[in-house]
Amino acid sequence: MTMSVEQLWSLPETALVGAYAEARRRYAEKKFERDTQRARLEWMRAKLFVNTPGNVTERKMAVDVSEELARKGQEVREMTRDLDMLKVDVDVIDTMIRLRGSQGVPPVHAEEAEKPAEPEGE
């Protein structure tokens, strides 16, 4: 996260909403990038499986021992970790916005809550 919780708390409301929108945008971009890489990896595994001679066990073994696929799988796992960190940023900013929203609500007194609303015009 680029800002600490204290800095987020002291931001004006419009800047906080802007930071939330920016964090959501970054999260969506990274998620799209990660999902694309994951799909490419699955495609490469399927392609290797089909193009490898032998029975099913030999084909699965060839896919499992492929160094290139292992490297790509590690990249996808690292992208997932980075994506999780961005999600934490989004959640923290969302929590800040929600906490601020609850502070602005005036307290309701028990006497006012018990009184039924009188219709106007009677």
Side-chain angles (χ1 to χ4, degrees), residues 29-76:
E29 287 175 354
K30 288 289 186 181
K31 186 172 183 178
F32 179 76
E33 184 180 330
R34 191 266 325 250
D35 291 346
T36 302
Q37 289 298 328
R38 183 183 286 171
R40 285 184 183 143
L41 177 61
E42 289 302 317
W43 176 255
M44 290 171 67
R45 284 182 177 155
K47 188 176 171 184
L48 181 63
F49 181 82
V50 169
N51 292 333
T52 302
N55 61 25
V56 173
T57 304
E58 291 170 350
R59 290 176 179 195
K60 282 185 179 181
M61 186 65 77
V63 171
D64 290 343
V65 299
S66 171
E67 288 184 25
E68 181 183 1
L69 293 179
R71 185 176 43 79
K72 294 275 187 191
Q74 180 62 33
E75 289 173 8
V76 169

